[in-house]
Amino acid sequence: MGEKVVAGPFDLSDRQRHRDKLRQCLTVLERLLEEKRFDRPKNLMGLEIELNLAGPDGMPRMMNAQVLDRIASRDFQTELAMFNLEVNIAPHRLGDRVFDRLAEELRTSLAYAHRKAGEVDAGIVMIGILPTLGQRHLVLANLSDVDRYTLLNDQIVAARGEDFALDIDGIERLVCRSRSIAPEAACTSVQLHLQVTPGRFADVWNAAQAVAAAQVAVGANSPFLFGHELWRESRPPLFQQSTDTRPPELQAQGVRPRTWFGERWISSAYELFEENLRFFPPLLPICDDEDPQAVLDGGGTPKLAELVLHNGTVYRWNRPVYGIADGVPHLRVENRVLPAGPTVVDVIANAAFYYGLVRALAEESRPVWTRLSFESAAANFDAACRHGIDARLEWPRRGRYGGTTQVDVVNLVRDELLPLAAAGLDAWGVEPADRDLYLGVIEDRCRLRTNGATWQAATFHRALEKGLSREAALAATTRRYGELMHLGEPVHTWPVGLPEPVPLG
């Protein structure tokens, strides 16, 4: 949804013409794949992080336009709501000290943005869901003043035809309604991109789906929404419900939600693009002037603009991406499961774990997806979102006996997945110092059973025990989180609770 679009009404002929263009794009994509037009391997990765703006009181600040004016960098852009920003880090080649370089770039960018936000009494908070967000903040009036967000909201609301129902039953239960998609803006995430060849795409995507649960379990950082303590990673159920174009009758019929884990392992990238067209009506029937078949026949590289835009409105947790760089098309897997934060070190550790793990699993002689049902992978993802680092997952047994077993995620990660991730990073050519530093962060989280979600929950309950109201405890937790986030030490080292006031005199 990063494309610039112009809001306007659509009539029946617009939708039919758009559907025809989508089919043309899909046919051209198939030709591009058959004719092997895609870029050769470059081991390129990319990183995007969605951010929150909050004031010294811990409350959200609806001023991304003012902050972006002061930042004045193409690396930063708007996100759905006025308290959101997004930072994009330029693609890097996996290898050497890439993770240390990424960490330094990210620290520099966030420190600069935080200083600029401070000029308007705001600050950057890198967190999955800002604990101080209330229903009053997530309303249509607080969407960013950008045509594509207004248009997307209008089309999703029209497709649904009624208010959005939010019902998340976790440690506490939240039941409420919204007249817009604004609650989606509460979800701030990290998106990890990996450029892959068409021949490797299916293996990498399948591997990413298989490990999504482990990623979420160790990286959970979103336990609160609207003053309620919900799932350890509450973004996925919130995202699904706040973008759900299906009224209850269509849900009962088994119509698929637009925020979707998927339903099967794949054998090619084409299958995902084709499914997106077959299962999901276009929300933004905007037609580009390009004739993709004519461009391809003429030896050019088609933009496939309609396909790219439609693909951006189907919110798979691992999304296929078609892109063009230097006139050459390429494919990427966009991993979208992780929350933002808590610190730069934590974000880079999560990235190192992911890139190492998908490399190793994609190259196994007996891949995990041949030994684990897709239904089990989806159930694992749900369990990891609910329980975070305390989750139990179903996983293939090691050794000759086969089958699957239930295992604590911390044991699975420490005993099996971290060694695989280390081998994968070695295969990428990552320096051992980088490998050991960042995978060590994941190991320490598992050893201590601590991540962003557990720290937030523990600190909130300590504040309640001190006599603070729920609202004051959430605000104090948010302020303390922001202080520790900017100090930069990984979250498993953070002291739980609020600092004691310094006595006077």
Short mmCIF file of all heavy atoms in Angstrom, two decimals, residues 393-433:
data_model
loop_
_atom_site.label_atom_id
_atom_site.label_comp_id
_atom_site.label_asym_id
_atom_site.label_seq_id
_atom_site.Cartn_x
_atom_site.Cartn_y
_atom_site.Cartn_z
N LEU A 393 4.59 -25.60 20.99
CA LEU A 393 4.37 -25.75 19.56
C LEU A 393 4.46 -27.22 19.17
O LEU A 393 5.14 -28.01 19.82
CB LEU A 393 5.41 -24.96 18.75
CG LEU A 393 5.59 -23.48 19.09
CD1 LEU A 393 6.63 -22.86 18.16
CD2 LEU A 393 4.27 -22.72 19.02
N GLU A 394 3.77 -27.56 18.09
CA GLU A 394 3.92 -28.88 17.50
C GLU A 394 5.07 -28.83 16.50
O GLU A 394 5.15 -27.90 15.69
CB GLU A 394 2.63 -29.31 16.79
CG GLU A 394 2.68 -30.72 16.24
CD GLU A 394 1.36 -31.17 15.64
OE1 GLU A 394 0.34 -30.50 15.88
OE2 GLU A 394 1.35 -32.20 14.93
N TRP A 395 5.97 -29.83 16.57
CA TRP A 395 7.16 -29.79 15.71
C TRP A 395 7.59 -31.21 15.38
O TRP A 395 7.41 -32.12 16.20
CB TRP A 395 8.29 -29.04 16.43
CG TRP A 395 9.36 -28.56 15.50
CD1 TRP A 395 10.59 -29.08 15.31
CD2 TRP A 395 9.26 -27.46 14.59
NE1 TRP A 395 11.29 -28.37 14.36
CE2 TRP A 395 10.48 -27.36 13.89
CE3 TRP A 395 8.25 -26.54 14.30
CZ2 TRP A 395 10.73 -26.39 12.92
CZ3 TRP A 395 8.50 -25.58 13.34
CH2 TRP A 395 9.71 -25.51 12.66
N PRO A 396 8.17 -31.42 14.20
CA PRO A 396 8.62 -32.78 13.85
C PRO A 396 9.69 -33.29 14.81
O PRO A 396 10.60 -32.57 15.21
CB PRO A 396 9.20 -32.60 12.44
CG PRO A 396 8.52 -31.39 11.90
CD PRO A 396 8.34 -30.48 13.08
N ARG A 397 9.53 -34.57 15.17
CA ARG A 397 10.56 -35.21 16.02
C ARG A 397 11.85 -35.36 15.23
O ARG A 397 11.84 -35.61 14.03
CB ARG A 397 10.10 -36.60 16.45
CG ARG A 397 9.04 -36.64 17.52
CD ARG A 397 8.89 -38.05 18.04
NE ARG A 397 7.87 -38.14 19.07
CZ ARG A 397 6.59 -38.42 18.81
NH1 ARG A 397 6.20 -38.64 17.57
NH2 ARG A 397 5.73 -38.49 19.80
N ARG A 398 12.95 -35.22 15.95
CA ARG A 398 14.23 -35.53 15.33
C ARG A 398 14.49 -37.03 15.43
O ARG A 398 13.96 -37.71 16.29
CB ARG A 398 15.35 -34.76 16.04
CG ARG A 398 15.32 -33.27 15.71
CD ARG A 398 16.53 -32.56 16.26
NE ARG A 398 16.45 -32.38 17.72
CZ ARG A 398 17.37 -31.75 18.43
NH1 ARG A 398 18.45 -31.28 17.84
NH2 ARG A 398 17.22 -31.62 19.73
N GLY A 399 15.31 -37.53 14.52
CA GLY A 399 15.65 -38.95 14.57
C GLY A 399 14.80 -39.78 13.63
O GLY A 399 14.01 -39.26 12.84
N ARG A 400 14.90 -41.07 13.75
CA ARG A 400 14.33 -41.98 12.77
C ARG A 400 12.86 -42.29 13.01
O ARG A 400 12.21 -42.91 12.16
CB ARG A 400 15.11 -43.30 12.78
CG ARG A 400 15.12 -44.01 14.10
CD ARG A 400 16.00 -45.24 14.06
NE ARG A 400 16.05 -45.90 15.36
CZ ARG A 400 16.74 -47.01 15.60
NH1 ARG A 400 17.45 -47.55 14.62
NH2 ARG A 400 16.73 -47.55 16.80
N TYR A 401 12.31 -41.87 14.17
CA TYR A 401 10.96 -42.31 14.49
C TYR A 401 9.89 -41.49 13.77
O TYR A 401 8.79 -41.96 13.55
CB TYR A 401 10.74 -42.27 16.00
CG TYR A 401 11.67 -43.22 16.73
CD1 TYR A 401 12.75 -42.73 17.46
CD2 TYR A 401 11.48 -44.59 16.65
CE1 TYR A 401 13.61 -43.59 18.11
CE2 TYR A 401 12.34 -45.46 17.30
CZ TYR A 401 13.41 -44.96 18.03
OH TYR A 401 14.26 -45.82 18.65
N GLY A 402 10.18 -40.28 13.41
CA GLY A 402 9.22 -39.47 12.67
C GLY A 402 8.07 -38.99 13.54
O GLY A 402 8.07 -39.11 14.76
N GLY A 403 7.07 -38.43 12.88
CA GLY A 403 5.93 -37.89 13.59
C GLY A 403 6.25 -36.53 14.19
O GLY A 403 7.31 -35.95 13.95
N THR A 404 5.30 -36.01 14.96
CA THR A 404 5.48 -34.71 15.60
C THR A 404 5.25 -34.84 17.09
O THR A 404 4.69 -35.83 17.58
CB THR A 404 4.49 -33.67 15.03
OG1 THR A 404 3.14 -34.12 15.28
CG2 THR A 404 4.70 -33.48 13.53
N THR A 405 5.67 -33.82 17.81
CA THR A 405 5.50 -33.80 19.26
C THR A 405 5.29 -32.36 19.71
O THR A 405 5.61 -31.41 18.98
CB THR A 405 6.72 -34.40 19.97
OG1 THR A 405 6.45 -34.52 21.37
CG2 THR A 405 7.96 -33.54 19.78
N GLN A 406 4.73 -32.17 20.91
CA GLN A 406 4.56 -30.85 21.49
C GLN A 406 5.82 -30.50 22.28
O GLN A 406 6.34 -31.32 23.03
CB GLN A 406 3.35 -30.83 22.42
CG GLN A 406 2.01 -30.91 21.71
CD GLN A 406 1.59 -29.57 21.14
OE1 GLN A 406 1.80 -28.51 21.74
NE2 GLN A 406 0.98 -29.61 19.97
N VAL A 407 6.30 -29.27 22.11
CA VAL A 407 7.54 -28.87 22.75
C VAL A 407 7.44 -27.41 23.16
O VAL A 407 6.81 -26.59 22.48
CB VAL A 407 8.75 -29.09 21.80
CG1 VAL A 407 8.58 -28.30 20.52
CG2 VAL A 407 10.06 -28.76 22.49
N ASP A 408 8.02 -27.08 24.33
CA ASP A 408 8.10 -25.67 24.74
C ASP A 408 8.92 -24.91 23.70
O ASP A 408 9.99 -25.34 23.30
CB ASP A 408 8.79 -25.54 26.10
CG ASP A 408 7.89 -25.96 27.25
OD1 ASP A 408 6.70 -26.19 27.01
OD2 ASP A 408 8.39 -26.07 28.38
N VAL A 409 8.43 -23.73 23.33
CA VAL A 409 9.12 -23.00 22.27
C VAL A 409 10.54 -22.63 22.69
O VAL A 409 11.45 -22.61 21.85
CB VAL A 409 8.32 -21.75 21.85
CG1 VAL A 409 8.31 -20.67 22.91
CG2 VAL A 409 8.84 -21.19 20.54
N VAL A 410 10.76 -22.35 23.98
CA VAL A 410 12.12 -21.98 24.39
C VAL A 410 13.08 -23.15 24.19
O VAL A 410 14.25 -22.94 23.82
CB VAL A 410 12.15 -21.48 25.85
CG1 VAL A 410 11.45 -20.14 25.98
CG2 VAL A 410 11.57 -22.51 26.80
N ASN A 411 12.61 -24.37 24.42
CA ASN A 411 13.47 -25.54 24.20
C ASN A 411 13.69 -25.78 22.72
O ASN A 411 14.80 -26.12 22.28
CB ASN A 411 12.87 -26.77 24.86
CG ASN A 411 12.84 -26.65 26.38
OD1 ASN A 411 13.68 -25.97 26.96
ND2 ASN A 411 11.88 -27.30 27.01
N LEU A 412 12.63 -25.62 21.93
CA LEU A 412 12.76 -25.80 20.48
C LEU A 412 13.77 -24.80 19.91
O LEU A 412 14.64 -25.16 19.10
CB LEU A 412 11.39 -25.59 19.81
CG LEU A 412 11.38 -25.59 18.28
CD1 LEU A 412 11.78 -26.95 17.74
CD2 LEU A 412 10.00 -25.19 17.75
N VAL A 413 13.66 -23.55 20.32
CA VAL A 413 14.56 -22.53 19.79
C VAL A 413 16.00 -22.80 20.23
O VAL A 413 16.92 -22.80 19.40
CB VAL A 413 14.10 -21.12 20.24
CG1 VAL A 413 15.14 -20.07 19.88
CG2 VAL A 413 12.77 -20.78 19.57
N ARG A 414 16.21 -23.06 21.51
CA ARG A 414 17.58 -23.22 22.01
C ARG A 414 18.24 -24.50 21.48
O ARG A 414 19.41 -24.50 21.10
CB ARG A 414 17.59 -23.23 23.53
CG ARG A 414 17.23 -21.89 24.15
CD ARG A 414 17.13 -21.97 25.65
NE ARG A 414 18.45 -22.11 26.27
CZ ARG A 414 18.63 -22.30 27.58
NH1 ARG A 414 17.58 -22.39 28.39
NH2 ARG A 414 19.84 -22.40 28.08
N ASP A 415 17.47 -25.59 21.42
CA ASP A 415 18.07 -26.88 21.08
C ASP A 415 18.17 -27.14 19.58
O ASP A 415 19.09 -27.82 19.13
CB ASP A 415 17.26 -28.03 21.72
CG ASP A 415 17.27 -27.97 23.24
OD1 ASP A 415 18.14 -27.26 23.80
OD2 ASP A 415 16.39 -28.60 23.86
N GLU A 416 17.22 -26.60 18.82
CA GLU A 416 17.16 -26.95 17.40
C GLU A 416 17.25 -25.75 16.46
O GLU A 416 18.00 -25.78 15.49
CB GLU A 416 15.87 -27.74 17.13
CG GLU A 416 15.78 -28.31 15.71
CD GLU A 416 14.65 -29.30 15.55
OE1 GLU A 416 14.08 -29.76 16.57
OE2 GLU A 416 14.32 -29.62 14.38
N LEU A 417 16.47 -24.70 16.74
CA LEU A 417 16.38 -23.62 15.76
C LEU A 417 17.58 -22.69 15.78
O LEU A 417 18.02 -22.21 14.72
CB LEU A 417 15.09 -22.82 15.97
CG LEU A 417 13.79 -23.63 15.84
CD1 LEU A 417 12.58 -22.71 15.90
CD2 LEU A 417 13.76 -24.46 14.55
N LEU A 418 18.14 -22.40 16.95
CA LEU A 418 19.31 -21.53 16.98
C LEU A 418 20.53 -22.16 16.29
O LEU A 418 21.23 -21.46 15.53
CB LEU A 418 19.66 -21.14 18.42
CG LEU A 418 18.87 -19.95 18.97
CD1 LEU A 418 19.14 -19.76 20.46
CD2 LEU A 418 19.17 -18.66 18.22
N PRO A 419 20.82 -23.45 16.48
CA PRO A 419 21.90 -24.05 15.68
C PRO A 419 21.64 -23.99 14.18
O PRO A 419 22.58 -23.75 13.40
CB PRO A 419 21.95 -25.49 16.19
CG PRO A 419 21.41 -25.43 17.58
CD PRO A 419 20.34 -24.38 17.54
N LEU A 420 20.38 -24.17 13.78
CA LEU A 420 20.05 -24.04 12.35
C LEU A 420 20.28 -22.60 11.88
O LEU A 420 20.83 -22.37 10.80
CB LEU A 420 18.60 -24.44 12.10
CG LEU A 420 18.30 -25.94 12.08
CD1 LEU A 420 16.78 -26.17 12.11
CD2 LEU A 420 18.90 -26.59 10.84
N ALA A 421 19.84 -21.63 12.68
CA ALA A 421 20.02 -20.22 12.30
C ALA A 421 21.50 -19.89 12.18
O ALA A 421 21.92 -19.15 11.27
CB ALA A 421 19.34 -19.31 13.32
N ALA A 422 22.32 -20.42 13.10
CA ALA A 422 23.77 -20.17 13.02
C ALA A 422 24.34 -20.74 11.73
O ALA A 422 25.16 -20.09 11.05
CB ALA A 422 24.46 -20.78 14.23
N ALA A 423 23.92 -21.95 11.37
CA ALA A 423 24.40 -22.55 10.12
C ALA A 423 23.94 -21.74 8.92
O ALA A 423 24.69 -21.58 7.94
CB ALA A 423 23.91 -23.99 10.02
N GLY A 424 22.71 -21.23 8.97
CA GLY A 424 22.20 -20.42 7.87
C GLY A 424 22.98 -19.12 7.72
O GLY A 424 23.30 -18.69 6.60
N LEU A 425 23.30 -18.46 8.84
CA LEU A 425 24.09 -17.23 8.76
C LEU A 425 25.49 -17.52 8.23
O LEU A 425 26.06 -16.72 7.47
CB LEU A 425 24.15 -16.56 10.13
CG LEU A 425 22.82 -16.01 10.66
CD1 LEU A 425 23.01 -15.38 12.03
CD2 LEU A 425 22.22 -14.99 9.69
N ASP A 426 26.06 -18.66 8.61
CA ASP A 426 27.35 -19.06 8.04
C ASP A 426 27.24 -19.21 6.53
O ASP A 426 28.13 -18.79 5.78
CB ASP A 426 27.83 -20.38 8.66
CG ASP A 426 28.27 -20.21 10.12
OD1 ASP A 426 28.50 -19.06 10.55
OD2 ASP A 426 28.38 -21.24 10.80
N ALA A 427 26.14 -19.80 6.08
CA ALA A 427 25.95 -20.00 4.64
C ALA A 427 25.81 -18.67 3.90
O ALA A 427 26.23 -18.55 2.74
CB ALA A 427 24.72 -20.88 4.38
N TRP A 428 25.24 -17.68 4.57
CA TRP A 428 25.16 -16.34 3.97
C TRP A 428 26.52 -15.64 3.96
O TRP A 428 26.68 -14.62 3.30
CB TRP A 428 24.17 -15.45 4.74
CG TRP A 428 22.70 -15.74 4.57
CD1 TRP A 428 21.82 -16.07 5.55
CD2 TRP A 428 21.93 -15.69 3.37
NE1 TRP A 428 20.56 -16.24 5.04
CE2 TRP A 428 20.59 -16.01 3.70
CE3 TRP A 428 22.24 -15.42 2.03
CZ2 TRP A 428 19.57 -16.06 2.76
CZ3 TRP A 428 21.22 -15.46 1.09
CH2 TRP A 428 19.91 -15.78 1.45
N GLY A 429 27.47 -16.14 4.74
CA GLY A 429 28.77 -15.48 4.86
C GLY A 429 28.82 -14.41 5.92
O GLY A 429 29.69 -13.53 5.88
N VAL A 430 27.90 -14.47 6.89
CA VAL A 430 27.90 -13.50 7.98
C VAL A 430 29.07 -13.80 8.92
O VAL A 430 29.36 -14.96 9.22
CB VAL A 430 26.56 -13.57 8.74
CG1 VAL A 430 26.60 -12.73 10.02
CG2 VAL A 430 25.42 -13.10 7.83
N GLU A 431 29.73 -12.75 9.37
CA GLU A 431 30.88 -12.90 10.27
C GLU A 431 30.45 -13.56 11.58
O GLU A 431 29.40 -13.24 12.13
CB GLU A 431 31.50 -11.54 10.58
CG GLU A 431 32.25 -10.92 9.42
CD GLU A 431 33.60 -11.59 9.20
OE1 GLU A 431 34.11 -12.24 10.13
OE2 GLU A 431 34.14 -11.44 8.09
N PRO A 432 31.27 -14.46 12.13
CA PRO A 432 30.92 -15.12 13.40
C PRO A 432 30.62 -14.14 14.53
O PRO A 432 29.77 -14.43 15.37
CB PRO A 432 32.16 -15.97 13.70
CG PRO A 432 32.75 -16.27 12.35
CD PRO A 432 32.51 -15.03 11.53
N ALA A 433 31.30 -13.00 14.57
CA ALA A 433 31.04 -12.04 15.65
C ALA A 433 29.61 -11.52 15.59
O ALA A 433 28.93 -11.41 16.63
CB ALA A 433 32.04 -10.88 15.56
#
